[in-house]
Amino acid sequence: MKTLCLAVCMALAAQAHEVKSLKVKILSTMLADGAGYGEWGFAALVEVDGRKILFDTGAHPNTVLNNLPELKVDLSDVEEVILSHHHYDHTAGLVRLREEMSKKNPKALQTAHIGQGAFIPRNDIEGKRMLYIKRGYEQAGGNFIEYTEPKEIHPGVWLTGLIPRKYPERNWSGSRKLVMPDGSTPEDNLPEDMTLVIETSKGLVVIAGCSHAGIVNILEHARTKIRKDAPIHAAIGGLHLFNATDETLRWTATKFREFGLQNLLGAHCTGIEAVYKLRELTGLGRKTAAVGALGGGFDLATGLDPGTIAR
Ligand SMILES: [Zn+2]
Ligand SMILES: [Zn+2]
């Protein structure tokens, strides 16, 4: 009896923070089909149990802002933004969006969640741009919260914190350097790379910006630290596999199958060829694996909506 109670109580506790509703809509990516502008960048609006969160902000200061009317999206009631990492194609819209939206609502986009390491000086232009964006955002009344560890920011809504690089996926340029306080210049492996993970009754939904930590490392971390061995219901966003070899894609697909991946919406740097290869290699179908276009997205109730052009 005691054992049964323990098992039931543990099961109930495990379900306590599963979200009931979840919608994701892409506001910046490369593939666009008439409504709005495409770019090499990423941004998405996440609506979870009635709460709206912006994930990344696009590659130009005005892209997401200009896409909003055509996509029939309002960000003035969104108070939080998650920045997956410091690269300009994910952070360029931050200051403009905060400035514009705060005219309607002073609390709009006032909190930015970001992984620790995003503000380390770099030897390249993007590192300098991030420090410039930080200054502009804070001058516009925004506050950054930095993370190293996984954190449940709302019931069932998790930030991964920094991601251990268990497998050598090496999804970054290799030519850029961090400039540390002691003057050393180690390789910039995007130490701040952070992902959004949402607990649902169908498994984990993972929303990634560029997956510089490696999508397999990200999913493994989520299944270790957020919910042990949970199936991955959906992987959405930039998986940084556009230049992956067939061997890497085969290995990635093997891991996806092992992790029980049920849906794949590959936008931004995932790569079009990579999405279709992964669809074939994982045994997913047209309704469960697609390229994510501008305005497309995902709904926990109905599944993927890749956007008109990508169906
Ligand atoms: Zn990047
Ligand atoms: Zn990117």
Side-chain angles (χ1 to χ4, degrees), residues 40-42 85 87 89-90 209-210 212 240 268-269:
W40 178 283
F42 191 67
H85 63 300
H87 281 162
D89 54 329
H90 300 255
C210 236
H212 291 299
H240 211 278
H268 183 36
C269 54

PDB file of all heavy atoms in Angstrom, residues 40-42 85 87 89-90 209-210 212 240 268-269, ligand 2:
ATOM      1  N   TRP A  40      18.342  35.941 -42.188  1.00  0.00           N
ATOM      2  CA  TRP A  40      19.124  34.945 -41.457  1.00  0.00           C
ATOM      3  C   TRP A  40      19.049  35.335 -39.979  1.00  0.00           C
ATOM      4  O   TRP A  40      19.837  36.153 -39.483  1.00  0.00           O
ATOM      5  CB  TRP A  40      20.580  34.910 -41.943  1.00  0.00           C
ATOM      6  CG  TRP A  40      21.408  33.912 -41.161  1.00  0.00           C
ATOM      7  CD1 TRP A  40      21.900  34.082 -39.906  1.00  0.00           C
ATOM      8  CD2 TRP A  40      21.806  32.611 -41.572  1.00  0.00           C
ATOM      9  NE1 TRP A  40      22.563  32.949 -39.505  1.00  0.00           N
ATOM     10  CE2 TRP A  40      22.539  32.032 -40.508  1.00  0.00           C
ATOM     11  CE3 TRP A  40      21.613  31.857 -42.745  1.00  0.00           C
ATOM     12  CZ2 TRP A  40      23.083  30.752 -40.576  1.00  0.00           C
ATOM     13  CZ3 TRP A  40      22.157  30.588 -42.811  1.00  0.00           C
ATOM     14  CH2 TRP A  40      22.884  30.052 -41.747  1.00  0.00           C
ATOM     15  N   GLY A  41      18.039  34.807 -39.294  1.00  0.00           N
ATOM     16  CA  GLY A  41      17.853  35.150 -37.887  1.00  0.00           C
ATOM     17  C   GLY A  41      16.771  34.289 -37.291  1.00  0.00           C
ATOM     18  O   GLY A  41      16.224  33.399 -37.967  1.00  0.00           O
ATOM     19  N   PHE A  42      16.455  34.551 -36.047  1.00  0.00           N
ATOM     20  CA  PHE A  42      15.379  33.796 -35.420  1.00  0.00           C
ATOM     21  C   PHE A  42      14.699  34.615 -34.326  1.00  0.00           C
ATOM     22  O   PHE A  42      15.354  35.372 -33.593  1.00  0.00           O
ATOM     23  CB  PHE A  42      15.884  32.485 -34.811  1.00  0.00           C
ATOM     24  CG  PHE A  42      14.756  31.566 -34.385  1.00  0.00           C
ATOM     25  CD1 PHE A  42      13.919  30.999 -35.332  1.00  0.00           C
ATOM     26  CD2 PHE A  42      14.509  31.290 -33.048  1.00  0.00           C
ATOM     27  CE1 PHE A  42      12.853  30.170 -34.967  1.00  0.00           C
ATOM     28  CE2 PHE A  42      13.443  30.470 -32.665  1.00  0.00           C
ATOM     29  CZ  PHE A  42      12.628  29.903 -33.626  1.00  0.00           C
ATOM     30  N   HIS A  85      21.475  33.345 -27.075  1.00  0.00           N
ATOM     31  CA  HIS A  85      22.923  33.601 -27.020  1.00  0.00           C
ATOM     32  C   HIS A  85      23.167  35.002 -27.575  1.00  0.00           C
ATOM     33  O   HIS A  85      22.223  35.681 -27.978  1.00  0.00           O
ATOM     34  CB  HIS A  85      23.724  32.537 -27.763  1.00  0.00           C
ATOM     35  CG  HIS A  85      23.458  32.462 -29.234  1.00  0.00           C
ATOM     36  ND1 HIS A  85      22.219  32.183 -29.759  1.00  0.00           N
ATOM     37  CD2 HIS A  85      24.283  32.630 -30.317  1.00  0.00           C
ATOM     38  CE1 HIS A  85      22.296  32.186 -31.082  1.00  0.00           C
ATOM     39  NE2 HIS A  85      23.518  32.459 -31.454  1.00  0.00           N
ATOM     40  N   HIS A  87      24.699  36.234 -30.276  1.00  0.00           N
ATOM     41  CA  HIS A  87      24.842  36.549 -31.705  1.00  0.00           C
ATOM     42  C   HIS A  87      23.760  37.514 -32.195  1.00  0.00           C
ATOM     43  O   HIS A  87      22.590  37.420 -31.808  1.00  0.00           O
ATOM     44  CB  HIS A  87      24.840  35.272 -32.552  1.00  0.00           C
ATOM     45  CG  HIS A  87      26.159  34.568 -32.544  1.00  0.00           C
ATOM     46  ND1 HIS A  87      26.308  33.254 -32.915  1.00  0.00           N
ATOM     47  CD2 HIS A  87      27.404  35.016 -32.211  1.00  0.00           C
ATOM     48  CE1 HIS A  87      27.591  32.914 -32.812  1.00  0.00           C
ATOM     49  NE2 HIS A  87      28.272  33.961 -32.383  1.00  0.00           N
ATOM     50  N   ASP A  89      22.127  37.830 -34.882  1.00  0.00           N
ATOM     51  CA  ASP A  89      20.922  37.370 -35.578  1.00  0.00           C
ATOM     52  C   ASP A  89      19.818  36.928 -34.604  1.00  0.00           C
ATOM     53  O   ASP A  89      18.728  36.540 -35.038  1.00  0.00           O
ATOM     54  CB  ASP A  89      21.239  36.269 -36.607  1.00  0.00           C
ATOM     55  CG  ASP A  89      21.995  35.099 -36.028  1.00  0.00           C
ATOM     56  OD1 ASP A  89      22.787  35.274 -35.082  1.00  0.00           O
ATOM     57  OD2 ASP A  89      21.803  33.978 -36.539  1.00  0.00           O
ATOM     58  N   HIS A  90      20.099  37.002 -33.303  1.00  0.00           N
ATOM     59  CA  HIS A  90      19.101  36.653 -32.276  1.00  0.00           C
ATOM     60  C   HIS A  90      18.819  37.823 -31.329  1.00  0.00           C
ATOM     61  O   HIS A  90      17.845  37.783 -30.591  1.00  0.00           O
ATOM     62  CB  HIS A  90      19.580  35.443 -31.464  1.00  0.00           C
ATOM     63  CG  HIS A  90      19.787  34.246 -32.331  1.00  0.00           C
ATOM     64  ND1 HIS A  90      18.916  33.169 -32.355  1.00  0.00           N
ATOM     65  CD2 HIS A  90      20.757  33.975 -33.246  1.00  0.00           C
ATOM     66  CE1 HIS A  90      19.339  32.296 -33.243  1.00  0.00           C
ATOM     67  NE2 HIS A  90      20.455  32.758 -33.805  1.00  0.00           N
ATOM     68  N   GLY A 209      17.566  28.475 -30.220  1.00  0.00           N
ATOM     69  CA  GLY A 209      17.891  29.596 -31.097  1.00  0.00           C
ATOM     70  C   GLY A 209      18.822  29.175 -32.211  1.00  0.00           C
ATOM     71  O   GLY A 209      18.470  29.212 -33.395  1.00  0.00           O
ATOM     72  N   CYS A 210      20.020  28.753 -31.846  1.00  0.00           N
ATOM     73  CA  CYS A 210      21.016  28.338 -32.841  1.00  0.00           C
ATOM     74  C   CYS A 210      21.662  27.002 -32.469  1.00  0.00           C
ATOM     75  O   CYS A 210      22.475  26.489 -33.234  1.00  0.00           O
ATOM     76  CB  CYS A 210      22.107  29.399 -32.948  1.00  0.00           C
ATOM     77  SG  CYS A 210      22.367  30.035 -34.597  1.00  0.00           S
ATOM     78  N   HIS A 212      24.117  26.192 -30.611  1.00  0.00           N
ATOM     79  CA  HIS A 212      25.588  26.125 -30.661  1.00  0.00           C
ATOM     80  C   HIS A 212      26.141  25.081 -29.691  1.00  0.00           C
ATOM     81  O   HIS A 212      27.222  24.539 -29.912  1.00  0.00           O
ATOM     82  CB  HIS A 212      26.186  27.501 -30.360  1.00  0.00           C
ATOM     83  CG  HIS A 212      25.948  28.499 -31.431  1.00  0.00           C
ATOM     84  ND1 HIS A 212      26.419  28.337 -32.722  1.00  0.00           N
ATOM     85  CD2 HIS A 212      25.289  29.684 -31.435  1.00  0.00           C
ATOM     86  CE1 HIS A 212      26.059  29.366 -33.460  1.00  0.00           C
ATOM     87  NE2 HIS A 212      25.367  30.204 -32.704  1.00  0.00           N
ATOM     88  N   HIS A 240      21.190  24.363 -36.194  1.00  0.00           N
ATOM     89  CA  HIS A 240      22.560  24.554 -36.682  1.00  0.00           C
ATOM     90  C   HIS A 240      23.139  23.303 -37.348  1.00  0.00           C
ATOM     91  O   HIS A 240      24.260  22.883 -37.063  1.00  0.00           O
ATOM     92  CB  HIS A 240      23.482  25.012 -35.545  1.00  0.00           C
ATOM     93  CG  HIS A 240      24.602  25.892 -36.021  1.00  0.00           C
ATOM     94  ND1 HIS A 240      25.755  25.388 -36.567  1.00  0.00           N
ATOM     95  CD2 HIS A 240      24.742  27.236 -36.048  1.00  0.00           C
ATOM     96  CE1 HIS A 240      26.558  26.393 -36.889  1.00  0.00           C
ATOM     97  NE2 HIS A 240      25.952  27.524 -36.600  1.00  0.00           N
ATOM     98  N   HIS A 268      15.482  28.618 -39.194  1.00  0.00           N
ATOM     99  CA  HIS A 268      16.775  29.305 -39.116  1.00  0.00           C
ATOM    100  C   HIS A 268      17.931  28.408 -39.592  1.00  0.00           C
ATOM    101  O   HIS A 268      17.891  27.907 -40.702  1.00  0.00           O
ATOM    102  CB  HIS A 268      16.953  29.823 -37.682  1.00  0.00           C
ATOM    103  CG  HIS A 268      18.201  30.612 -37.448  1.00  0.00           C
ATOM    104  ND1 HIS A 268      18.725  31.454 -38.383  1.00  0.00           N
ATOM    105  CD2 HIS A 268      19.044  30.685 -36.368  1.00  0.00           C
ATOM    106  CE1 HIS A 268      19.828  32.004 -37.906  1.00  0.00           C
ATOM    107  NE2 HIS A 268      20.045  31.546 -36.689  1.00  0.00           N
ATOM    108  N   CYS A 269      18.929  28.192 -38.753  1.00  0.00           N
ATOM    109  CA  CYS A 269      20.171  27.546 -39.189  1.00  0.00           C
ATOM    110  C   CYS A 269      20.093  26.017 -39.224  1.00  0.00           C
ATOM    111  O   CYS A 269      21.125  25.353 -39.328  1.00  0.00           O
ATOM    112  CB  CYS A 269      21.309  27.978 -38.269  1.00  0.00           C
ATOM    113  SG  CYS A 269      20.899  27.677 -36.534  1.00  0.00           S
TER     114      CYS A 269
HETATM  115 ZN    ZN B   2      21.634  32.089 -35.384  1.00  0.00          ZN
END
